Amino acid sequence: MRSTSPIVTLLLFALCGCYTYRPLVSPDPVAGTRVSAQLTEEGSRDLSGKVGPEVEHVEGEVLRVDSAGIQLSVRQVEGFRGIESDWNGEPVVIPRTAVVGWQQRRLSLGGTGFVGGLVLGGVYAMYRLLGGPGIFQGGGRGGSGSSQ
Protein backbone atom coordinates (compact mmCIF):
# COMPACT_ATOMS: atom_id res chain seq x y z
CA MET A 1 0.00 0.00 0.00
CA ARG A 2 2.82 2.41 0.84
CA SER A 3 4.47 1.85 -2.54
CA THR A 4 1.45 3.15 -4.43
CA SER A 5 1.05 6.40 -2.47
CA PRO A 6 3.52 8.42 -4.63
CA ILE A 7 1.72 7.29 -7.76
CA VAL A 8 -1.69 8.12 -6.33
CA THR A 9 -0.44 11.54 -5.20
CA LEU A 10 0.91 12.38 -8.66
CA LEU A 11 -2.29 11.14 -10.28
CA LEU A 12 -4.39 13.35 -8.00
CA PHE A 13 -2.26 16.38 -8.89
CA ALA A 14 -2.71 15.59 -12.58
CA LEU A 15 -6.46 15.32 -12.12
CA CYS A 16 -6.62 18.77 -10.55
CA GLY A 17 -7.35 19.71 -13.98
CA CYS A 18 -7.40 21.14 -17.34
CA TYR A 19 -10.06 23.78 -17.75
CA THR A 20 -11.62 25.41 -20.79
CA TYR A 21 -14.00 28.29 -21.25
CA ARG A 22 -17.27 27.53 -23.02
CA PRO A 23 -20.22 29.78 -23.81
CA LEU A 24 -22.71 30.15 -20.98
CA VAL A 25 -25.81 27.99 -21.40
CA SER A 26 -28.02 30.31 -19.32
CA PRO A 27 -28.59 34.01 -20.11
CA ASP A 28 -26.94 35.14 -16.86
CA PRO A 29 -23.98 33.75 -14.94
CA VAL A 30 -24.74 32.24 -11.53
CA ALA A 31 -23.13 33.49 -8.32
CA GLY A 32 -20.11 31.39 -7.38
CA THR A 33 -19.16 30.36 -10.92
CA ARG A 34 -15.95 31.36 -12.67
CA VAL A 35 -16.63 33.26 -15.86
CA SER A 36 -14.98 35.37 -18.52
CA ALA A 37 -16.73 38.45 -19.89
CA GLN A 38 -15.84 39.61 -23.39
CA LEU A 39 -16.22 43.38 -23.42
CA THR A 40 -17.49 45.57 -26.23
CA GLU A 41 -15.13 48.31 -27.43
CA GLU A 42 -17.36 50.89 -25.76
CA GLY A 43 -17.55 48.77 -22.61
CA SER A 44 -13.77 48.52 -22.56
CA ARG A 45 -13.49 52.32 -22.78
CA ASP A 46 -16.12 52.80 -20.05
CA LEU A 47 -14.38 50.35 -17.70
CA SER A 48 -10.82 51.55 -18.40
CA GLY A 49 -10.73 53.43 -15.07
CA LYS A 50 -11.59 50.21 -13.20
CA VAL A 51 -9.83 47.41 -15.11
CA GLY A 52 -7.26 49.25 -17.22
CA PRO A 53 -7.05 50.46 -20.81
CA GLU A 54 -7.87 48.32 -23.85
CA VAL A 55 -9.18 45.30 -21.90
CA GLU A 56 -11.01 42.67 -23.96
CA HIS A 57 -11.72 39.95 -21.35
CA VAL A 58 -12.37 40.16 -17.62
CA GLU A 59 -12.20 36.84 -15.74
CA GLY A 60 -13.33 36.08 -12.21
CA GLU A 61 -15.88 34.57 -9.85
CA VAL A 62 -19.42 35.92 -9.93
CA LEU A 63 -20.26 37.60 -6.61
CA ARG A 64 -23.64 39.14 -7.39
CA VAL A 65 -26.05 39.39 -10.32
CA ASP A 66 -28.66 42.17 -10.61
CA SER A 67 -30.38 44.24 -13.28
CA ALA A 68 -27.57 46.81 -13.44
CA GLY A 69 -24.73 44.36 -13.94
CA ILE A 70 -22.65 41.47 -12.69
CA GLN A 71 -20.15 41.92 -9.87
CA LEU A 72 -17.01 39.84 -10.32
CA SER A 73 -14.16 39.04 -8.00
CA VAL A 74 -11.59 39.67 -10.74
CA ARG A 75 -8.76 37.14 -11.16
CA GLN A 76 -7.37 38.20 -14.52
CA VAL A 77 -7.83 40.69 -17.33
CA GLU A 78 -6.65 40.31 -20.92
CA GLY A 79 -6.09 43.19 -23.31
CA PHE A 80 -6.80 43.40 -27.03
CA ARG A 81 -3.11 42.59 -27.68
CA GLY A 82 -3.24 39.41 -25.61
CA ILE A 83 -1.40 40.83 -22.60
CA GLU A 84 -2.73 39.30 -19.37
CA SER A 85 -2.67 40.81 -15.88
CA ASP A 86 -3.37 38.83 -12.73
CA TRP A 87 -5.62 40.30 -10.07
CA ASN A 88 -6.24 39.35 -6.44
CA GLY A 89 -10.02 39.14 -6.42
CA GLU A 90 -10.88 42.84 -6.37
CA PRO A 91 -14.64 43.34 -6.87
CA VAL A 92 -15.69 45.08 -10.10
CA VAL A 93 -19.23 45.60 -11.41
CA ILE A 94 -19.49 44.87 -15.13
CA PRO A 95 -22.51 46.60 -16.68
CA ARG A 96 -24.62 44.31 -18.88
CA THR A 97 -24.32 46.75 -21.79
CA ALA A 98 -20.51 46.44 -21.67
CA VAL A 99 -20.51 42.70 -22.43
CA VAL A 100 -20.66 40.98 -25.83
CA GLY A 101 -20.71 37.47 -24.37
CA TRP A 102 -20.07 35.34 -21.31
CA GLN A 103 -18.08 32.12 -21.05
CA GLN A 104 -17.95 29.74 -18.09
CA ARG A 105 -14.90 27.88 -16.86
CA ARG A 106 -15.49 24.12 -17.00
CA LEU A 107 -13.42 21.03 -16.38
CA SER A 108 -12.19 19.53 -19.64
CA LEU A 109 -12.59 15.78 -19.18
CA GLY A 110 -10.69 14.96 -22.37
CA GLY A 111 -7.76 17.26 -21.61
CA THR A 112 -7.59 16.19 -17.98
CA GLY A 113 -7.74 12.50 -18.93
CA PHE A 114 -5.03 12.96 -21.55
CA VAL A 115 -2.67 14.82 -19.20
CA GLY A 116 -3.46 12.40 -16.37
CA GLY A 117 -2.65 9.47 -18.68
CA LEU A 118 0.64 11.09 -19.70
CA VAL A 119 1.61 11.68 -16.08
CA LEU A 120 0.60 8.18 -15.04
CA GLY A 121 2.50 6.68 -17.98
CA GLY A 122 5.57 8.76 -17.13
CA VAL A 123 5.45 7.72 -13.48
CA TYR A 124 5.08 4.07 -14.47
CA ALA A 125 7.99 4.35 -16.93
CA MET A 126 10.22 5.89 -14.24
CA TYR A 127 9.12 3.22 -11.77
CA ARG A 128 10.12 0.46 -14.21
CA LEU A 129 13.32 2.24 -15.24
CA LEU A 130 14.46 2.61 -11.65
CA GLY A 131 13.95 -1.04 -10.79
CA GLY A 132 10.29 -1.69 -10.21
CA PRO A 133 9.16 -2.92 -6.78
CA GLY A 134 12.74 -3.21 -5.56
CA ILE A 135 13.15 0.55 -5.27
CA PHE A 136 10.70 0.58 -2.36
CA GLN A 137 12.36 -2.35 -0.61
CA GLY A 138 15.94 -1.15 -0.83
CA GLY A 139 16.87 -3.62 -3.56
CA GLY A 140 16.79 -1.27 -6.55
CA ARG A 141 19.74 -0.74 -8.89
CA GLY A 142 20.63 2.64 -7.48
CA GLY A 143 20.87 1.48 -3.87
CA SER A 144 24.01 1.39 -1.76
CA GLY A 145 23.81 -2.28 -0.91
CA SER A 146 26.79 -4.29 0.28
CA SER A 147 29.26 -5.55 -2.32
CA GLN A 148 30.11 -9.22 -2.56
Side-chain angles (χ1 to χ4, degrees), residues 21 41-42 45-48 63 65 84 87 103 108 117 122-123 128 134-135 138 147:
Y21 279 88
E41 286 185 37
E42 185 178 332
R45 280 192 301 274
D46 292 345
L47 289 170
S48 65
L63 298 175
V65 178
E84 297 177 351
W87 284 46
Q103 294 186 328
S108 170
V123 168
R128 297 297 295 173
I135 64 173
S147 61

Side-chain angles (χ1 to χ4, degrees), residues 61-134:
E61 285 85 25
V62 177
L63 298 175
R64 183 175 45 87
V65 178
D66 61 29
S67 60
I70 287 93
Q71 184 178 33
L72 296 181
S73 171
V74 179
R75 296 291 172 198
Q76 187 176 59
V77 296
E78 180 181 345
F80 289 110
R81 296 181 183 155
I83 299 171
E84 297 177 351
S85 295
D86 292 331
W87 284 46
N88 293 319
E90 292 86 355
V92 174
V93 176
I94 310 289
R96 292 176 182 275
T97 58
V99 179
V100 171
W102 292 95
Q103 294 186 328
Q104 183 176 359
R105 183 179 184 208
R106 296 190 184 158
L107 180 68
S108 170
L109 294 176
T112 300
F114 179 72
V115 171
L118 285 177
V119 168
L120 189 59
V123 168
Y124 180 74
M126 290 300 295
Y127 171 77
R128 297 297 295 173
L129 183 66
L130 294 174

Side-chain angles (χ1 to χ4, degrees), residues 12-35:
L12 288 175
F13 282 144
L15 292 177
C16 286
C18 297
Y19 290 88
T20 59
Y21 279 88
R22 298 196 179 119
L24 219 63
V25 291
S26 62
D28 286 331
V30 177
T33 59
R34 183 130 178 204
V35 296

